[in-house]
């Protein structure tokens, strides 16, 4: 069986493109024990993605402080305060209300927190996210300028859970096109630079379609 370090090295190699463009690896560490996270850390992986705030807080307190913590799961407003002191990037903003809560808690911690708008791109009904129209409403809302403690750094999306690579590729391509079209809204608070798409089963397609961040768990740690 290949080690966590071997898996990370293999994935990192796959993230390099011929043109030198490289997506960054977020190791999805949800439900994994701290011992496995340390193995990944010692293999050079220092960006971890968690789905639940409580679990992230516990691991943050126990593990080295130069780890970047990414919130990649559905986020409830009442949990924001627990991770506001340290979270590096929130991938899963799906409402203006949530963005306001992040801004409020970031201000209390004298921080500016980077956020991604989660766009609904899949054909399944179970996934969270904004429509392109709802995302545009957030980006053009006059009230956004008053939120000085957040920065919208890009978009996130989850493709359909299907074996059909063409469906997945089309969904990623659509998100990349949306990402490019949103660059016209750039200002101090909107800087479209991160495109978070691709997981263990489809990250290579995502990288080909322009992803800058891939969220990979089982391909690193093995399936649960």
């Amino acid at each position: 069986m290949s080690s966590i370090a071997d898996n990370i090295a293999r994935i990192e190699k796959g993230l390099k493109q011929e043109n030198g463009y490289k997506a960054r690896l977020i190791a999805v560490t949800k439900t994994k024990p701290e011992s496995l996270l340390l193995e990944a850390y010692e293999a050079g992986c220092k960006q971890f993605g968690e789905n639940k705030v409580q679990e992230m807080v516990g691991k943050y307190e126990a593990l080295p402080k130069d780890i970047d913590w990414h919130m990649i799961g559905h986020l409830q407003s009442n949990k924001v305060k627990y991770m506001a002191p340290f979270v590096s990037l929130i991938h899963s903003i799906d409402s203006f209300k949530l963005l306001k809560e992040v801004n409020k808690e970031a201000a209390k911690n004298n921080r500016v927190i980077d956020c991604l708008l989660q766009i609904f791109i899949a054909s399944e009904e179970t996934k969270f996210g904004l429509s392109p129209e709802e995302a545009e409403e957030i980006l053009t809302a006059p009230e956004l300028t008053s939120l000085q403690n957040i920065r919208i750094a890009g978009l996130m999306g989850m493709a359909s859970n299907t074996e059909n690579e063409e469906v997945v590729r089309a969904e990623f391509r659509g998100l990349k096109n949306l990402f490019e079209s949103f660059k016209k809204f750039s200002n101090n608070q909107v800087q479209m630079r991160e495109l978070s798409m691709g997981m263990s089963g489809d990250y290579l397609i995502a990288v080909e379609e322009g992803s800058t961040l891939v969220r990979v768990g089982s391909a690193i740690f093995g399936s649960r």
Side-chain angles (χ1 to χ4, degrees):
M1 227 174 80
S2 56
S3 70
I4 286 172
D6 290 341
N7 291 339
I8 288 170
R10 188 190 72 251
I11 293 162
E12 291 274 11
K13 200 174 164 191
L15 298 183
K16 287 192 175 74
Q17 298 289 284
E18 287 74 20
N19 60 5
Y21 178 81
K22 194 169 183 288
R24 301 195 311 289
L25 174 63
I26 311 297
V28 177
T29 49
K30 60 178 183 179
T31 74
K32 298 291 180 267
E34 286 158 16
S35 57
L36 291 188
L37 273 65
L38 271 174
E39 267 188 67
Y41 175 84
E42 278 153 17
C45 189
K46 295 184 180 175
Q47 303 205 59
F48 292 166
E50 284 285 335
N51 273 46
K52 293 196 163 63
V53 174
Q54 268 90 338
E55 195 177 335
M56 186 201 281
V57 170
K59 288 173 177 175
Y60 164 77
E61 285 167 358
L63 291 167
K65 293 298 174 276
D66 59 339
I67 292 169
D68 285 336
W69 292 95
H70 294 244
M71 181 64 196
I72 60 174
H74 182 61
L75 179 59
Q76 294 165 296
S77 293
N78 62 349
K79 302 280 172 62
V80 172
K81 59 180 176 279
Y82 301 111
M83 64 176 189
F86 68 88
V87 69
S88 178
L89 179 64
I90 299 171
H91 292 233
S92 46
I93 298 290
D94 59 3
S95 71
F96 200 78
K97 174 177 167 271
L98 181 57
L99 206 54
K100 286 198 284 191
E101 187 63 26
V102 173
N103 182 75
K104 185 180 90 178
E105 295 300 333
K108 288 181 190 171
N109 288 279
N110 287 323
R111 298 188 66 212
V112 175
I113 295 179
D114 282 338
C115 300
L116 305 181
L117 300 181
Q118 181 173 352
I119 309 295
F120 182 86
I121 61 171
S123 53
E124 299 125 62
E125 283 305 306
T126 52
K127 300 217 165 70
F128 294 98
L130 300 155
S131 69
E133 294 74 26
E134 289 166 332
E136 187 164 334
E137 272 176 35
I138 289 174
L139 294 172
T140 57
E143 201 185 338
L144 187 63
T145 54
S146 66
L147 306 186
Q148 293 292 314
N149 291 82
I150 56 99
R151 186 164 40 225
I152 297 175
L155 306 178
M156 183 267 255
M158 281 185 264
S160 297
N161 185 12
T162 172
E163 297 294 304
N164 187 332
E165 285 191 4
E166 287 315 303
V167 169
V168 171
R169 189 177 292 281
E171 289 169 355
F172 286 153
R173 188 165 292 173
L175 186 58
K176 171 72 156 91
N177 290 340
L178 189 68
F179 172 78
E180 292 297 336
S181 77
F182 282 169
K183 286 184 175 174
K184 64 177 177 280
F185 300 124
S186 293
N187 55 42
N188 283 342
Q189 283 156 296
V190 178
Q191 294 167 17
M192 288 285 151
R193 58 173 194 270
E194 300 291 6
L195 189 53
S196 170
M197 56 187 196
M199 304 194 292
S200 285
D202 57 22
Y203 71 88
L204 289 172
I205 300 173
V207 172
E208 285 171 7
E209 294 302 331
S211 176
T212 68
L213 298 168
V214 297
R215 311 178 302 275
V216 179
S218 56
I220 296 174
F221 299 106
S223 46
R224 281 182 276 172

